[in-house]
């Protein structure tokens, strides 16, 4: 299993190109199931989750072609993939595949809408909590699907098609908003989704669906209105920049010090974390080219943060923030409200010398003057990056084990950080 070795202490200076967003790419790829024409996606990141989803979609009959790079394109501009679901050969998403990546459960939306049936494995638990699917089921039932649970599978049927409805989510859920929007796009009549997720990735999916001929308004707000259409067409769409990758590298620069341009990043998708970086003591400037982050020598300030759905502080940056404030003056408090059990990085950060006290969903981090490199274990995707961030500022060598977690959501981190002066290398095997 690959490991990442980091030698701490170097400032970061230079440019980090921001990749296409993993959390936008996955639903966009799944949207290809809605049409028998070709969906072309540009700026697709090279990630293990994307590879896995290609396999999962392939199982349903989706043809996935990767276009070669054009002359003059550099390695950072992502892939262009062509997805063509002309014939859906199988409406079953098996446990072996869905259990490897939760988001693949989302195929249930397009499959039931286009084929009138779907049999999709329940995803099962994952490292950051139980993560139920009750709200997906609620939304699809609202749209007229009959749903049974059979042998660990969600079996959905709508032989006469789905019908528009009012869907009111009792809590904000990104995944079920994506699924409801995709399913309603092919339902008969009007659908209103209330308390919809406002995450920028929902807006990105809606913009692509609009290009495919869907009739959707209000995406990006908490009320989305959809008028169903008979069929959707092919389209071409470029994946939005990854706001979580952006925030992660912004925190890394704040931690290590230096001056870095996060090229292609979009500040409006990241206001809460950028405001927080200002409070912590970094200088943030949005420019035409991206976001510039600087911190020169000054100490870090402690902060109080609660994770929340967009536009609040994202749970996907909670672990990285925690690494950063390990070095702040005074006590920071971080409350996690989205996922239970999302504090597994705490024990690993402690191995580097962090002083963190956990009380239920609240972590209190007492800043320490020095962190010291050690061998640590990545436990989930975002937690892995918190260990890398801490390693950048720790004295000596930090080795992060189980980096396959990291490869699910961050591409070429050795290269991106290495180009800015950090010593970060992958040890294979
Ligand atoms: C997506 C993101 C993930 C991010 C999360 C919250 C992708 C691929 N993943 O995950 O990186 O951390 O949004 O921003 O985009 N819930 C239920 N019942 C359901 C569905 C969800 O109770 O049927 C709960 C979850 O357990 C959680 C909360 O709703 O407590 C929010 O989860 P949700 O927004 O659905 O997360 P994902 O879409 O899985």
């Amino acid at each position: 299993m690959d490991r990442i070795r980091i030698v701490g202490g170097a400032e970061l200076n230079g440019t980090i190109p921001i990749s296409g967003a993993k959390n936008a790419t996955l639903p966009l790829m799944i949207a290809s199931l809605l049409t028998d024409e070709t969906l072309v996606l540009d700026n697709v990141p090279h990630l293990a989750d994307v590879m896995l989803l290609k396999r999962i979609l392939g199982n349903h009959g989706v043809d996935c072609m990767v276009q070669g790079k054009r002359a003059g394109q550099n390695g950072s501009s992502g892939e262009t993939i062509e997805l063509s679901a002309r014939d859906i050969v199988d409406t079953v998403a098996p446990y072996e595949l869905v259990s490897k990546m939760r988001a693949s459960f989302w195929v249930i939306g397009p499959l039931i809408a286009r084929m009138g049936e779907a049999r999709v494995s329940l995803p099962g638990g994952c490292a950051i909590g139980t993560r139920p699917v009750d709200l997906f089921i609620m939304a699809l039932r609202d749209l007229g699907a009959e749903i049974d649970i059979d042998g660990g599978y969600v079996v959905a049927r709508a032989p006469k098609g789905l019908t528009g409805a009012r869907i009111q989510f009792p809590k904000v859920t990104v995944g079920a908003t994506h699924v409801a929007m995709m399913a309603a796009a092919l339902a008969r009549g009007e659908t209103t989704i209330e308390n919809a997720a406002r995450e920028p990735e929902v807006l990105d999916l809606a913009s692509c669906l609009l290009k495919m001929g869907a009739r959707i308004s209000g995406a990006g707000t908490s009320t989305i209105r959809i008028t169903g259409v008979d069929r959707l067409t092919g389209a071409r769409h470029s994946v939005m920049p990854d706001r979580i990758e952006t925030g992660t590298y912004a925190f890394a620069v704040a931690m290590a010090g230096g001056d870095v341009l996060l090229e292609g990043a979009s500040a409006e998708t990241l206001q809460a974390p950028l405001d927080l970086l200002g409070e912590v003591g970094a200088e943030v400037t949005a420019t035409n080219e991206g976001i510039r982050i600087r911190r020169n020598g000054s100490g870090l300030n402690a902060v109080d943060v609660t994770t929340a759905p967009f536009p609040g502080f994202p749970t996907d940056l909670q672990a990285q923030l925690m690494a950063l404030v390990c070095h702040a003056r005074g006590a920071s408090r971080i409350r996690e409200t989205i996922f239970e059990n999302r504090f597994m990085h705490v024990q690993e950060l402690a191995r580097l010398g962090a002083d963190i006290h956990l009380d239920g969903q609240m972590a209190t981090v007492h800043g320490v003057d020095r962190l010291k490199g050690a061998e640590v274990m990545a436990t989930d995707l975002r937690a892995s990056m918190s260990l890398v961030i801490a390693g950048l500022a720790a004295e000596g060598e930090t080795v992060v084990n189980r980096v396959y977690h990291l490869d699910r959501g961050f591409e070429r981190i050795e290269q991106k950080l290495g180009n800015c002066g950090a010593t970060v290398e992958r040890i294979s095997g």
Side-chain angles (χ1 to χ4, degrees):
M1 259 183 279
D2 287 7
R3 294 174 298 159
I4 297 270
R5 174 178 168 272
I6 304 149
V7 181
E11 280 197 349
L12 297 174
N13 286 292
T15 298
I16 296 180
I18 296 303
S19 300
K22 171 180 90 75
N23 284 356
T25 304
L26 303 180
L28 286 166
M29 289 173 71
I30 288 171
S32 68
L33 287 167
L34 288 164
T35 173
D36 58 1
E37 295 183 14
T38 303
L39 178 64
V40 183
L41 297 176
D42 294 308
N43 200 31
V44 173
H46 301 259
L47 297 171
D49 271 9
V50 171
M51 302 283 288
L52 182 59
L53 187 56
K54 283 182 194 163
R55 266 184 55 205
I56 291 170
L57 292 175
N59 214 43
H60 296 297
V62 180
D63 228 12
C64 180
M65 293 224 321
V66 177
Q67 280 182 10
K69 289 216 179 301
R70 286 185 287 275
Q73 273 185 319
N74 62 27
S76 67
S77 53
E79 259 177 11
T80 292
I81 59 175
E82 287 182 16
L83 299 148
S84 173
R86 188 191 315 216
D87 298 307
I88 294 185
V89 296
D90 198 343
T91 53
V92 179
Y95 178 70
E96 307 83 80
L97 296 175
V98 180
S99 59
K100 290 202 179 104
M101 187 183 36
R102 228 192 105 79
S104 57
F105 181 80
W106 302 350
V107 298
I108 196 167
L111 287 178
I112 178 83
R114 181 166 155 205
M115 305 301 289
E117 59 171 44
R119 186 179 168 88
V120 180
S121 170
L122 285 161
C126 75
I128 60 172
T130 50
R131 303 181 80 175
V133 293
D134 54 323
L135 302 178
F136 292 81
I137 293 176
M138 181 202 87
L140 293 175
R141 280 199 174 126
D142 286 346
L143 292 170
E146 284 167 28
I147 307 228
D148 294 309
I149 309 291
D150 176 33
Y153 281 73
V154 178
V155 183
R157 288 187 204 90
K160 294 192 181 129
L162 299 172
T163 315
R166 174 166 172 251
I167 300 169
Q168 188 163 29
F169 285 118
K171 89 197 264 191
V172 175
T173 147
V174 175
T177 301
H178 284 318
V179 163
M181 201 161 64
M182 288 192 275
L186 285 181
R188 258 188 320 275
E190 308 266 329
T191 296
T192 309
I193 306 175
E194 283 166 23
N195 199 24
R198 289 183 279 165
E199 269 63 7
E201 293 76 14
V202 171
L203 186 55
D204 208 34
L205 174 62
S207 337
C208 177
L209 292 173
L210 284 171
K211 292 177 196 162
M212 293 166 73
R215 293 174 59 197
I216 301 176
S217 64
T221 75
S222 47
T223 306
I224 303 178
R225 292 199 168 77
I226 301 143
T227 306
V229 293
D230 288 341
R231 64 182 299 273
L232 294 169
T233 63
R236 181 165 199 148
H237 184 79
S238 183
V239 178
M240 63 175 276
D242 196 316
R243 63 194 172 100
I244 303 303
E245 188 196 32
T246 306
T248 300
Y249 286 123
F251 285 12
V253 179
M255 184 70 161
D259 185 346
V260 171
L261 173 69
L262 303 173
E263 192 179 41
S266 138
E268 61 266 32
T269 61
L270 208 69
Q271 210 47 58
L274 295 180
D275 289 349
L276 191 97
L277 273 169
E279 266 180 62
V280 171
E283 213 179 297
V284 180
T285 324
T287 72
N288 288 341
E289 292 159 295
I291 302 173
R292 187 171 169 201
I293 309 285
R294 271 180 293 184
R295 186 172 75 84
N296 293 322
S298 57
L300 297 169
N301 304 314
V303 286
D304 265 7
V305 181
T306 299
T307 60
F310 190 84
F313 187 88
T315 175
D316 284 352
L317 286 173
Q318 180 257 106
Q320 298 90 315
L321 169 69
M322 193 176 295
L324 175 62
V325 296
C326 283
H327 247 340
R329 276 183 302 257
S332 296
R333 291 194 307 169
I334 302 179
R335 201 156 76 89
E336 171 60 52
T337 68
I338 309 292
F339 292 113
E340 54 192 91
N341 200 16
R342 205 176 200 182
F343 280 136
M344 280 173 309
H345 41 287
V346 168
Q347 285 178 8
E348 301 303 310
L349 289 170
R351 290 180 56 78
L352 301 173
D355 179 358
I356 305 170
H357 174 75
L358 262 189
D359 182 7
Q361 294 293 87
M362 167 82 86
T364 306
V365 187
H366 296 277
V368 293
D369 288 339
R370 62 191 276 263
L371 295 171
K372 196 156 181 306
E375 192 147 344
V376 287
M377 185 101 75
T379 50
D380 70 50
L381 169 56
R382 312 305 179 183
S384 336
M385 271 317 265
S386 80
L387 301 173
V388 172
I389 291 175
L392 289 172
E395 285 170 17
E397 184 177 297
T398 296
V399 175
V400 182
N401 289 288
R402 296 199 182 166
V403 293
Y404 56 85
H405 286 295
L406 207 145
D407 295 333
R408 288 189 39 219
F410 292 90
E411 63 173 359
R412 297 181 293 116
I413 70 147
E414 319 79 290
Q415 196 185 333
K416 289 190 183 192
L417 288 169
N419 287 347
C420 290
T423 304
V424 179
E425 61 177 12
R426 182 177 289 261
I427 307 166
S428 296

